[in-house]
Amino acid sequence: MAEFSVRVSTGDAIGAGTWNKIAVSIVGTRGETPPLRLDHPGKEFSAGAVEDFQVESPQDVGPVLLLRVHKAPLLLSAPVGAVARDAWFCRWIQLSPPRGAPLRFPCYQWLEGAGSLALRAGAAKVSWADDHPILRQQRQEELQARQDSYHWKTYSPGWPRCLDEKSVKDLDLNIKYSVMKNSCFYLKVSSAFMELKLKGLLDRKGLWKSLREMRTMLNFRKTPAAEYVVKHWQEDAFFASQFLNGLNPVLIRRCRHLPENFPVTDDMVAPVLGPGTSLQAELERGSLFLVDHGILSSVHTNVVNGKPQFSAAPMTLLYQRPGGGPLLPLAIQLSRSPGPDSPIFLPSDSKWDWLLAKTWVRNAEFSVHEAVTHLLHAHLLPEVFTVATLRQLPHCHPLFKLLIPHTRYTLHINTLARELLIAPGQVVDRSTGIGVRGFSELIQRNMQQLSYSVLCLPEDIRARGVEDIPNYYYRNDGLKIWGAVESFVSEIIHIYYPSDTAVQDDPELQAWVREIFSEGFLGRESSGVPSALETREALVQYVTMVIFNSSAKHYAVSAGQFDSCIWMPNLPPTMQLPPPTSKGQTRPEGFLATLPPVSATSDIIIALWLLSQEPGDRRPLGTYPDEHFTEEAPRRSIATFQNRLAQISREIRDRNQGLELPYTYLDPPLIENSVSI
């Protein structure tokens, strides 16, 4: 008889404890014990408890390989529903054998109903490092069970594939919102909905009476950034600055040659450029930048409240004065075909002509941001990373341990989005100018041109030629965070992969990369997204890309949505009149008539308020309370990563003290580890 000490840690979330019977079987090189009941007087496995048990093995099983955890109802006659409800969240189990050091078995999983779960000791292992057939078999069985649980489906042709579940009600507890997060989310939804419903705004399908009336939306919620928008939204410098530090800071690129269908002349831009220079001289100097919303060309438009809506595909030329000063808009063309019916709008035009042209650009920003930058790049692709991780990497794999915190709640929020946001008849269909069909067209178009470099921030910055444009805080802060993530990932990779050959010889890693390529990027080789990885350097870049896009990039393009939209003329979700075909015709009443109706404004503001802020149960970037890594080396790397993020935050906050409008959308303590809202 061998006596083992067993210490069990139960999670502290609501509902984490259980009344069920828990037993363990110890699997060694020479055999496996029968289930050994973990029992002592009184209630066991309460939420937050860490408890000690003594168990006796009737045989010597040899060096321990695995621990099987068994969960069964206290009463065999308990109804099936009661068993399912009594789930248990096990954080970890520590086994102390009669001789030798204690073994920690990380779990961090919900066990629903009756069943068993095999746990590995904490040391991360790549498959070629497993030297016992029982361990190799356990890896295969775990992956097969996961692949049986998580399936792919095509939600819409040309989109990345996604998890095959129709409703969040169908999700298992390991990928579902916690009770607290779910409660906070629906409390926010219901309070916002009731507030605007009782004020009569959600049901009011007509126009806003005036810009002054629109200010009443600030009574709903307001932030310092939103108040700044209200005060400065008509200013050219603020309009241009949003391409750098607003909610869609990824389109602006240096312009060396004007597009042929954008015939800007020297006379047009002379008032802004000033004397002693020319358009060609500034193009050669590199001081001109272009924001091109051409992806919107001929996109499907929607019907809102029974009224056809309109869209434009503008081009915006911007100027950065040498030696400093704000970025400024030079010219805007609202169509792809220049001519008498497609004037180029200029800052020297009448106030309302120029303001309307800028507002059309902001409407284009809404459509491209919400469909492509936010939905596709910051939600659908992280979902691909998440599903592939669950299907192809076992719990003991170092990449699973590294990546699983960055997948938390992603499948829940995306499944919820398919239910409540982008389903036919829901928010996107009710209240945006291009509707679900237009969103789908934009996603399909972007998928045809999406490249790996767009997802790798340093390469994206170089490709757009914006390395040196001043006051580009998204770039500055983003590159610091990318560098911190990259250093962290590099340390972890070099711990577990001693050579490039070790990367090539890891079949689970290669299956993960291959599945992301085929299911997420639809096997399109022209994307440059790898379908296999050959070197440690390539693996470091790839994993950095996954973590950055699933955390910092998502927050950067999500957190500012409410700040930008609460003053609706700054980010109109739809336009009710067609783009102007001549100058000198716009009046204040025509400007108002072009803007979204009250109901659509309210609908979108509620949605973007919800999507801009985590509803509780947060885990900021670099926060890893679930200790999947138990070895000293990766734990040191985590501590170094956390210290670097803290330093980046201090630098950002010091800089922000001198800014009239602080840039907070990449401050590490505010960034969530994963896409969870």
Side-chain angles (χ1 to χ4, degrees):
M1 301 286 284
E3 186 172 279
F4 291 81
S5 297
V6 182
R7 175 168 289 179
V8 181
S9 175
T10 296
D12 57 6
I14 297 171
T18 183
W19 288 90
N20 283 185
K21 293 185 296 185
I22 305 297
V24 295
S25 298
I26 302 167
V27 182
T29 56
R30 292 196 288 272
E32 177 174 348
T33 70
L36 308 173
R37 175 85 183 272
L38 302 181
D39 189 21
H40 57 49
K43 169 78 169 69
E44 304 99 4
F45 313 113
S46 298
V50 177
E51 300 163 286
D52 292 309
F53 303 89
Q54 299 296 125
V55 296
E56 288 187 345
S57 168
Q59 68 206 80
D60 178 10
V61 297
V64 176
L65 298 173
L66 300 172
L67 195 64
R68 296 195 202 279
V69 183
H70 309 282
K71 179 171 174 287
L74 194 60
L75 301 173
L76 292 177
S77 59
V80 173
V83 175
R85 283 193 298 273
D86 195 17
W88 177 48
F89 188 85
C90 175
R91 296 183 68 242
W92 48 261
I93 297 177
Q94 183 169 292
L95 184 71
S96 297
R99 293 174 301 279
L103 298 171
R104 176 69 67 93
F105 294 82
C107 182
Y108 301 104
Q109 297 178 70
W110 287 95
L111 282 73
E112 295 186 74
S116 299
L117 179 68
L119 300 181
R120 300 274 297 252
K125 290 282 186 72
V126 180
S127 60
W128 41 255
D130 269 344
D131 54 4
H132 197 284
I134 289 178
L135 296 177
R136 292 194 288 271
Q137 180 183 357
Q138 183 274 331
R139 295 181 89 102
Q140 295 170 359
E141 290 175 349
E142 179 186 343
L143 287 180
Q144 187 59 58
R146 296 244 213 92
Q147 289 165 14
D148 290 342
S149 297
Y150 303 113
H151 301 100
W152 296 101
K153 74 174 179 182
T154 297
Y155 179 75
S156 186
W159 290 32
R161 301 190 78 208
C162 64
L163 181 70
D164 186 12
E165 295 289 1
K166 291 183 178 179
S167 167
V168 292
K169 296 176 183 177
D170 303 323
L171 302 179
D172 74 61
L173 286 177
N174 286 304
I175 57 176
K176 221 173 191 176
Y177 270 3
S178 65
V179 171
M180 186 182 85
K181 196 174 189 82
N182 201 54
S183 300
C184 290
F185 178 85
Y186 282 105
L187 183 62
K188 284 185 70 174
V189 172
S190 57
S191 65
F193 178 84
M194 287 306 299
E195 180 177 342
L196 295 186
K197 186 82 170 175
L198 290 172
K199 290 179 178 178
L201 298 176
L202 271 175
D203 298 321
R204 191 174 140 195
K205 298 181 179 180
L207 300 175
W208 290 95
K209 296 174 184 175
S210 64
L211 292 176
R212 180 182 295 276
E213 189 193 23
M214 288 180 200
R215 287 177 178 266
T216 60
M217 291 304 297
L218 291 173
N219 297 329
F220 169 66
R221 300 288 185 278
K222 61 184 174 183
T223 64
E227 292 182 284
Y228 185 92
V229 171
V230 174
K231 185 176 180 181
H232 297 278
W233 71 285
Q234 296 188 45
E235 298 171 9
D236 285 358
F238 177 67
F239 168 79
S241 74
Q242 292 186 89
F243 295 123
L244 299 175
N245 302 312
L247 82 169
N248 196 32
V250 297
L251 291 187
I252 187 170
R253 59 179 57 244
R254 195 178 301 274
C255 181
R256 296 289 187 181
H257 304 281
L258 278 177
E260 291 184 2
N261 61 340
F262 195 14
V264 181
T265 67
D266 282 325
D267 289 343
M268 291 178 182
V269 298
V272 178
L273 295 185
T277 188
S278 67
L279 199 57
Q280 186 59 36
E282 296 301 334
L283 286 167
E284 292 173 2
R285 187 180 286 127
S287 59
L288 299 186
F289 297 85
L290 184 69
V291 175
D292 190 347
H293 292 95
I295 193 172
L296 284 164
S297 181
S298 303
V299 74
H300 168 82
T301 51
N302 198 17
V303 174
V304 174
N305 297 337
K307 187 175 179 180
Q309 305 296 292
F310 297 89
S311 182
M315 289 180 279
T316 305
L317 189 65
L318 302 137
Y319 173 55
Q320 178 63 58
R321 195 180 306 278
L327 185 70
L328 294 171
L330 282 177
I332 295 170
Q333 182 176 289
L334 298 180
S335 82
R336 315 307 293 175
S337 303
D341 293 334
S342 181
I344 294 176
F345 292 92
L346 307 167
S348 55
D349 291 337
S350 73
K351 171 188 173 180
W352 290 103
D353 277 352
W354 180 234
L355 185 60
L356 181 61
K358 289 191 293 182
T359 304
W360 272 104
V361 173
R362 297 300 300 162
N363 167 249
E365 276 282 85
F366 174 90
S367 297
V368 173
H369 168 268
E370 293 300 342
V372 177
T373 309
H374 186 214
L375 177 57
L376 173 57
H377 295 181
H379 276 267
L380 301 184
L381 293 182
E383 177 170 6
V384 171
F385 306 148
T386 298
V387 177
T389 297
L390 292 173
R391 286 173 49 86
Q392 300 299 342
L393 299 176
H395 225 73
C396 63
H397 197 290
L399 288 181
F400 181 92
K401 292 172 179 283
L402 177 61
L403 292 169
I404 197 63
H406 303 286
T407 69
R408 185 173 184 251
Y409 298 147
T410 299
L411 298 181
H412 184 109
I413 190 58
N414 281 11
T415 302
L416 195 63
R418 286 187 283 271
E419 285 185 79
L420 302 181
L421 285 178
I422 59 174
Q426 296 296 336
V427 176
V428 170
D429 250 4
R430 283 198 306 263
S431 300
T432 71
I434 60 175
V436 170
R437 182 175 161 189
F439 269 48
S440 189
E441 287 180 13
L442 294 189
I443 289 172
Q444 291 164 355
R445 292 176 185 183
N446 190 256
M447 283 289 289
Q448 290 299 314
Q449 62 192 47
L450 181 60
S451 68
Y452 187 42
S453 63
V454 168
L455 303 175
C456 298
L457 183 64
E459 292 186 17
D460 179 51
I461 294 297
R462 286 192 294 271
R464 292 191 284 118
V466 290
E467 303 97 317
D468 58 358
I469 188 171
N471 306 317
Y472 193 5
Y473 307 122
Y474 166 77
R475 174 202 60 208
N476 298 348
D477 300 351
L479 288 175
K480 288 180 181 179
I481 292 173
W482 178 280
V485 173
E486 186 177 49
S487 295
F488 172 49
V489 169
S490 180
E491 289 183 18
I492 299 295
I493 295 304
H494 281 75
I495 292 169
Y496 297 102
Y497 292 91
S499 65
D500 292 344
T501 302
V503 172
Q504 299 162 19
D505 291 345
D506 182 354
E508 293 163 345
L509 159 65
Q510 300 297 340
W512 175 67
V513 173
R514 190 164 54 250
E515 185 154 278
I516 289 172
F517 175 71
S518 61
E519 304 295 338
F521 297 90
L522 308 182
R524 191 172 62 84
E525 293 184 2
S526 60
S527 67
V529 175
S531 58
L533 296 174
E534 302 293 327
T535 66
R536 290 190 294 180
E537 182 182 5
L539 176 57
V540 168
Q541 182 188 37
Y542 192 88
V543 174
T544 301
M545 178 274 295
V546 169
I547 293 176
F548 183 84
N549 283 278
S550 300
S551 56
K553 173 72 173 293
H554 171 258
Y555 189 76
V557 303
S558 176
Q561 292 177 102
F562 179 75
D563 293 339
S564 296
C565 84
I566 183 66
W567 179 244
M568 180 269 291
N570 185 61
L571 197 71
T574 185
M575 301 291 259
Q576 298 201 89
L577 294 177
T581 56
S582 62
K583 296 185 180 184
Q585 305 300 312
T586 308
R587 302 289 183 271
E589 57 272 17
F591 181 82
L592 282 172
T594 305
L595 295 176
V598 178
S599 58
T601 302
S602 304
D603 206 15
I604 292 298
I605 282 175
I606 290 175
L608 298 191
W609 177 61
L610 291 169
L611 296 177
S612 297
Q613 214 173 29
E614 288 289 337
D617 192 9
R618 292 195 60 237
R619 289 195 182 168
L621 182 61
T623 303
Y624 304 121
D626 296 350
E627 296 174 340
H628 290 279
F629 285 109
T630 60
E631 310 97 303
E632 189 58 34
R635 291 164 73 90
R636 282 197 304 268
S637 296
I638 289 172
T640 301
F641 179 45
Q642 292 169 338
N643 290 336
R644 180 68 188 112
L645 291 174
Q647 176 61 31
I648 292 170
S649 178
R650 287 191 292 270
E651 293 168 3
I652 289 172
R653 295 182 182 198
D654 286 347
R655 178 208 58 212
N656 281 346
Q657 288 181 357
L659 298 181
E660 190 176 359
L661 178 61
Y663 183 74
T664 60
Y665 303 140
L666 280 172
D667 188 1
L670 305 181
I671 298 169
E672 191 72 10
N673 256 337
S674 59
V675 178
S676 57
I677 188 60

